[in-house]
Amino acid sequence: MKKSEKKIFESLKKIFPKSQIPKKISKLKIGDFPQWDSLGNFNLLLEIEKQFSCRINTKSFNKIKSVKDIREFLKKSGNYTNKI
């Protein structure tokens, strides 16, 4: 698992500790776990900000609803890397 993927995976585990997080997280989205509702999504994005030392603006906060969206945001902001 690449460094950025691992950070996203760890964020998911931290925010949704009661959920079974699969190793392949690329297709996960809001609603896939009972705890991943709008409040859970908000908390996940706050954790992503901490993990990647970035700020997610309000417009992006409202659009990000999946791991794919998180990756796209991080790539655009220059915080996502495929390095090991």
Side-chain angles (χ1 to χ4, degrees):
M1 189 178 292
K2 306 291 183 189
K3 185 177 180 181
S4 293
E5 283 294 303
K6 188 170 182 166
K7 283 184 173 183
I8 295 171
F9 181 80
E10 292 300 323
S11 295
L12 286 163
K13 281 178 51 176
K14 182 175 181 179
I15 300 303
F16 309 118
K18 295 179 182 177
S19 299
Q20 285 287 94
I21 310 295
K23 292 287 182 191
K24 292 191 176 192
I25 60 171
S26 60
K27 295 185 180 181
L28 293 177
K29 63 189 179 311
I30 195 168
D32 283 350
F33 314 122
Q35 299 84 13
W36 196 352
D37 54 12
S38 57
L39 181 58
N41 196 58
F42 181 80
N43 290 328
L44 175 61
L45 295 180
L46 291 176
E47 183 61 25
I48 292 294
E49 285 184 330
K50 286 182 199 174
Q51 286 289 327
F52 288 88
S53 300
C54 67
R55 283 279 167 219
I56 302 173
N57 62 40
T58 307
K59 188 176 181 181
S60 296
F61 234 92
N62 292 329
K63 289 183 178 181
I64 299 172
K65 305 282 186 217
S66 66
V67 170
K68 181 181 175 186
D69 294 342
I70 291 169
R71 269 200 217 118
E72 287 175 8
F73 171 81
L74 292 170
K75 283 179 184 176
K76 287 180 185 175
S77 67
N79 289 301
Y80 186 88
T81 179
N82 286 327
K83 295 178 184 173
I84 295 173

